Amino acid sequence: LNNSSLSEITSAGLPSGTVLQVKQTVVTASVSQAVSNEANFLDISGMSVSITPISTSSKILVTYNVRKSNTVPEQNDCIRLVRGSTNIAISTAGDTVNGAGFLRDATSSTPKIYPENFTFLDSPATTSSTTYKLQWSGSNGTLYLNRRGQDNDFGAVSTITVMEIAG
């Protein structure tokens, strides 16, 4: 099947809520980024996935599972979900920095790998190829994806998954 034949099937009456397609990106390698300002968001290398919806009425269910750490304990780290160049699922509760997820390693000891999981139902209203990506920021140090901040003794896996849901 391609998008044209999927569109014909959908218009023939698939029920709302039917999963039409699934795309996923899996990052198994270590990714690092030096940070110095929690308001300055940067793309997380490899943490993006593209999907071409077959209908403008479709919803896109976005799920990410990120494993991250910082070289410096007791720092503010934030994750942001972006569609194209538009920030989505952004909190309005913070006075300084808002994102989809936030973590502060509250211990003064060795930084650890922390999981961050998030799910968001988006309505992009398009049939054009759409890219979802993750960005991160931090107040100080070096952020790491899939490993501890002080060494690479332990590894993890991070994913971003999108599912087109019939509207």
Side-chain angles (χ1 to χ4, degrees), residues 79-109:
I79 295 274
R80 185 161 73 178
L81 177 60
V82 178
R83 177 195 345 107
S85 59
T86 302
N87 303 329
I88 59 175
I90 299 296
S91 171
T92 58
D95 289 334
T96 305
V97 178
N98 287 290
F102 175 84
L103 173 72
R104 180 175 177 94
D105 184 354
T107 177
S108 60
S109 64

Side-chain angles (χ1 to χ4, degrees), residues 115-163:
E116 187 171 315
N117 308 309
F118 188 77
T119 302
F120 182 73
L121 188 62
D122 188 33
S123 301
T126 186
T127 56
S128 297
S129 179
T130 303
T131 300
Y132 292 88
K133 66 182 178 179
L134 297 182
Q135 297 179 329
W136 56 7
S137 71
S139 53
N140 191 20
T142 299
L143 297 177
Y144 281 98
L145 187 71
N146 297 335
R147 61 159 269 196
R148 292 194 307 185
Q150 83 273 16
D151 59 43
N152 60 357
D153 287 347
F154 302 97
V157 174
S158 296
T159 64
I160 181 169
T161 305
V162 291
M163 289 187 270

Side-chain angles (χ1 to χ4, degrees), residues 10 18 20 53-60 121-126 164-167:
T10 303
T18 301
L20 301 175
I54 63 166
S55 172
T56 57
S57 64
S58 291
K59 308 276 190 214
I60 305 295
L121 188 62
D122 188 33
S123 301
T126 186
E164 182 179 5
I165 311 295

